[in-house]
Amino acid sequence: MSYTQDDLEALNEAIAKLVAGERVVRVEHEGHSVKYGEADLNDLIALRDRMNAELKGKSKKRRIQIISNKGTC
């Protein structure tokens, strides 16, 4: 499953609402909607950690350097 920065922002808003005392929040991703309650706060935090890890992995760019020595004889 591929997450976007918008998905992460929506999830952070949902976590903030639960912490602020709202009883139920809704998170949508790829056409699916899930309602979370206070008991699911730990699940939301774990999902946020996975999203952060995936998004950080996407942002890392690898650099490959090829060095060749033709040799001089």
Side-chain angles (χ1 to χ4, degrees):
M1 187 174 287
S2 182
Y3 298 110
T4 65
Q5 188 63 37
D6 290 337
D7 295 331
L8 181 59
E9 289 171 11
L11 183 62
N12 282 328
E13 287 178 30
I15 290 171
K17 288 178 181 179
L18 280 177
V19 171
E22 287 190 34
R23 304 292 286 168
V24 177
V25 296
R26 180 185 306 248
V27 176
E28 294 185 27
H29 177 67
E30 293 183 353
H32 300 287
S33 177
V34 180
K35 288 184 181 179
Y36 288 93
E38 285 185 51
D40 298 313
L41 182 59
N42 289 335
D43 293 337
L44 285 174
I45 292 170
L47 177 57
R48 181 183 63 189
D49 293 343
R50 286 194 308 269
M51 281 183 172
N52 275 323
E54 182 178 315
L55 289 172
K56 284 181 183 178
K58 285 181 183 177
S59 67
K60 291 182 181 178
K61 294 184 178 180
R62 293 175 41 178
R63 180 178 173 201
I64 300 173
Q65 185 174 6
I66 299 172
I67 299 173
S68 174
N69 184 0
K70 294 182 181 181
T72 54
C73 294

